[in-house]
Amino acid sequence: MDYKTGIIFIRNSDARYDNRLNKAVATCQKANFTPVVLSWIRGSKIKPLTPHYVAEQKVEWKYFSLNASFGKNLLNIFHLLAYNLWILANLWKLRDKYLIIYACDLDVLVPSVIVSLLGRKKVIYDIFDFYAHTHMNRYPRPISRMIEKLEYTLCRFPSAVIVCTENRAKILKKNSGIEPIIVHNTPAIGPSVIGALWQELDISRFPQHCLKLAYVGTLCDKGRLLKEVIDLAMSSSQYVLFVAGTGPLSSYIQDCSNKSCNVIWLGQVDYSRALAIQSHADLLFATYDPAITINK
């Protein structure tokens, strides 16, 4: 393996189900790069035994397995430190196999920059979300401001920075002076595939008069109105709610599904099935706190 065609992707969550990262991996495969993925499975100590495939090609995937609670950043600081040390160890161990580090989160950008300076590697920073903006409510305001400034400063080290919208590009340029690359995060599959997956899921059996609601994403216990919408679905036969994802409310939603035929629990699904569920719903819902800068 030529180190010049080696690229290491790093995500601070279970990247197997991350479509944006998998699309980037597939793109690199088409360009004859050899990807390796470092990923953190937060909800289990058990590493997957089956190999992972992207675009029908086997990809080397290394898993860090350590339980960590969702949304409790200060409590998870030691878990994050352990993950960063694991990243550093793997980046150094594999240093002769890659030239590029592709970091997707601020908390994995730090070890990436350290190794790039020590080992003369190039870093690409793909900002899936601005860290301070999406975690603002989890830290005291002064700490959030410090993290925000740190992210804008660290953005000056990578060889390239990627964002998914023009608005985020403006925010980054205003605060750091960096002109990022814009890559829109658009679906790569067509309606025929989505239709087939919908039939495979066998959830089109409900009466046409029911209003079909769908939510696919992080199952937070606050800020997403999930419990309120579940209560609505359970209280009336006029509504059917399809829920898929992972997070603190997983067990709660599964229990509600067992109690009511109007709440359909689908568990963790891949991106194609997520699109199938959403495209056949009558209504999708999401809540955004305008106090968080990026939501504006």
Side-chain angles (χ1 to χ4, degrees), residues 133 136-137 223-224 286-296:
H133 295 172
M136 187 174 289
N137 295 335
R224 299 293 175 95
T287 57
Y288 295 91
D289 182 356
I292 299 174
T293 305
I294 200 66
N295 288 345
K296 294 180 181 180

Side-chain angles (χ1 to χ4, degrees), residues 146-218:
M146 288 175 58
I147 293 173
E148 187 176 25
K149 290 182 179 179
L150 174 64
E151 182 161 26
Y152 292 138
T153 300
L154 286 174
C155 281
R156 298 188 177 98
F157 287 91
S159 300
V161 177
I162 298 172
V163 293
C164 62
T165 69
E166 287 78 5
N167 184 54
R168 295 188 182 196
K170 290 178 182 177
I171 292 173
L172 185 60
K173 186 174 182 180
K174 177 183 176 181
N175 289 281
S176 68
I178 294 170
E179 191 82 52
I181 300 167
I182 300 171
V183 180
H184 295 123
N185 185 27
T186 52
I189 63 174
S192 61
V193 175
I194 290 174
L197 288 167
W198 174 257
Q199 295 299 324
E200 180 186 314
L201 286 166
D202 190 31
I203 52 180
S204 56
R205 61 188 183 276
F206 296 93
Q208 291 297 317
H209 70 270
C210 290
L211 184 69
K212 299 178 179 66
L213 312 174
Y215 178 91
V216 182
T218 304

Side-chain angles (χ1 to χ4, degrees), residues 1-99:
M1 174 179 170
D2 183 357
Y3 87 100
K4 292 183 179 179
T5 61
I7 178 169
I8 290 191
F9 291 83
I10 313 176
R11 188 79 166 103
N12 73 350
S13 59
D14 190 346
R16 292 173 298 166
Y17 301 99
D18 192 315
N19 181 68
R20 185 166 166 183
L21 183 138
N22 279 272
K23 284 193 293 186
V25 170
T27 300
C28 287
Q29 288 174 324
K30 291 178 182 178
N32 296 320
F33 280 83
T34 305
V36 176
V37 180
L38 305 183
S39 175
W40 183 1
I41 301 179
R42 293 180 179 232
S44 173
K45 295 181 180 179
I46 302 173
K47 297 179 181 179
L49 299 177
T50 56
H52 188 77
Y53 289 84
V54 176
E56 299 182 351
Q57 293 188 47
K58 187 177 179 180
V59 176
E60 184 178 353
W61 215 280
K62 294 183 178 295
Y63 304 99
F64 178 75
S65 301
L66 182 64
N67 281 326
S69 302
F70 284 88
K72 298 180 180 179
N73 298 71
L74 291 175
L75 295 177
N76 289 338
I77 190 68
F78 295 107
H79 298 77
L80 181 59
L81 178 60
Y83 182 47
N84 273 255
L85 292 173
W86 181 83
I87 290 171
L88 284 169
N90 277 276
L91 288 177
W92 191 251
K93 181 180 178 180
L94 300 169
R95 64 188 181 278
D96 295 330
K97 294 186 176 182
Y98 68 92
L99 176 63

